[in-house]
Amino acid sequence: MSAGPLSSRFSHIPLPQKEGGGNSVPCHVALIMDGNGRWARARGLPVAAGHRQGAEAVQQCVRSAVQHGVRYLTLYAFSSENWRRSSEEIGDLTSLLRFYLRHKLNELHEQGVRLRVIGEPERFDSALRDELTRAEAKTLNNTTLTLTLALSYGGRADIVQAARKLAVRVANGDISTSSIDEAMIDDVLQTADIPDPDLVVRTSGECRLSNFLLWQSAYAELVFLDVLWPDFGEAEFGDVMARYAVRKRRFGGRPQ
């Protein structure tokens, strides 16, 4: 059974209000972290150095989100298409993620951050999967910020798996095809337990979503920055918060 529209499912979350109505702080910010390789190459460094600096930027981003009162932060950490990269780069990325889960988890926990994973974590090695499971379990009851890592994630694949779940329910006679609506699809996406993003940010100057949260971003505000991800810090986070605060979200309605 559908849990109802997102607006009612998450209506208990208090947010700062804009003058004249509307939220001045996005409840959910989603980030496409792009530019690690270009950052490294511009400095004559190996790509792994860019990923390490990018991981430091993630820490700053999480702290900034907490300070600004953001409740949900989703990071496009590894797309389903990233498996096309070299085995060396994939190894660097997974080793770095495993390192930060081992050595930075306590800091996240102390900040009240809940860590969760969407995508296909089963495609990674058992050591990383174990670290992810441990991190999710340790932070399960934290409520300050929900940090979602999209790992081996693709927006189209998410919609496909949702369609398959509903097809099984139709085949079993639990629902009819005519009863399927948007709320029902919401409930079988991997993001069913969090609100849709209010703001999607991409760094590095690219202006596309690259298969990230396609269904969920239907009415998100989009911000594309020229800054490369390793240079994304507190000032840049504050900048996108300021840009969001002056946006007028109409959700298809006429301007007031």
Side-chain angles (χ1 to χ4, degrees):
M1 180 176 292
S2 173
L6 285 172
S7 59
S8 61
R9 289 163 59 193
F10 299 96
S11 60
H12 62 285
I13 300 174
L15 292 170
Q17 297 294 305
K18 292 182 182 178
E19 182 179 354
N23 296 320
S24 61
V25 176
C27 176
H28 182 180
V29 176
L31 278 152
I32 301 172
M33 305 177 295
D34 194 14
N36 290 349
R38 273 171 280 177
W39 184 93
R41 287 190 292 272
R43 291 161 176 78
L45 299 172
V47 173
H51 291 314
R52 286 195 295 272
Q53 190 63 35
E56 295 295 330
V58 167
Q59 289 183 268
Q60 292 189 55
C61 183
V62 170
R63 287 194 293 267
S64 296
V66 170
Q67 292 168 0
H68 282 272
V70 173
R71 299 298 299 275
Y72 297 88
L73 181 67
T74 299
L75 304 179
Y76 205 9
F78 193 96
S79 75
S80 54
E81 290 77 20
N82 285 159
W83 290 108
R84 301 170 186 167
R85 297 185 179 185
S86 70
S87 57
E88 181 181 5
E89 185 174 356
I90 291 171
D92 289 339
L93 281 166
T94 54
S95 295
L96 183 61
L97 178 56
R98 188 159 53 243
F99 173 85
Y100 272 87
L101 287 170
R102 289 176 180 173
H103 299 281
K104 302 296 182 179
L105 181 61
N106 285 338
E107 180 180 333
L108 290 176
H109 189 45
E110 289 168 3
Q111 293 179 82
V113 176
R114 177 194 173 197
L115 184 70
R116 62 191 298 278
V117 177
I118 59 173
E120 299 175 305
E122 64 274 9
R123 294 189 64 178
F124 294 95
D125 62 67
S126 59
L128 179 55
R129 294 198 305 270
D130 289 345
E131 293 291 344
L132 290 168
T133 298
R134 184 175 69 89
E136 286 184 298
K138 180 170 183 174
T139 62
L140 179 63
N141 297 317
N142 292 342
T143 59
T144 301
L145 174 73
T146 295
L147 172 62
T148 301
L149 297 181
L151 294 172
S152 189
Y153 175 85
R156 289 181 173 180
D158 194 8
I159 295 169
V160 168
Q161 67 82 29
R164 287 172 176 164
K165 286 180 180 178
L166 293 178
V168 169
R169 294 175 64 185
V170 170
N172 291 339
D174 299 327
I175 60 173
S176 65
T177 55
S178 61
S179 70
I180 297 174
D181 58 13
E182 291 184 13
M184 196 175 290
I185 295 173
D186 284 334
D187 287 345
V188 288
L189 291 170
Q190 293 190 29
T191 53
D193 61 335
I194 63 176
D196 288 344
D198 302 292
L199 174 64
V200 176
V201 180
R202 180 171 186 150
T203 59
S204 85
E206 304 293 348
C207 299
R208 55 181 177 270
L209 292 177
S210 294
N211 202 20
F212 181 51
L213 299 179
L214 298 180
W215 174 278
Q216 299 89 335
S217 299
Y219 284 101
E221 297 296 317
L222 307 178
V223 172
F224 300 105
L225 302 176
D226 289 331
V227 64
L228 300 176
W229 176 251
D231 292 325
F232 188 92
E234 294 180 6
E236 288 72 23
F237 197 97
D239 174 53
V240 296
M241 292 296 98
R243 295 190 192 200
Y244 176 84
V246 298
R247 297 278 182 97
K248 295 181 179 180
R249 306 188 71 197
R250 303 186 181 108
F251 300 96
R254 293 185 181 277
Q256 300 299 315

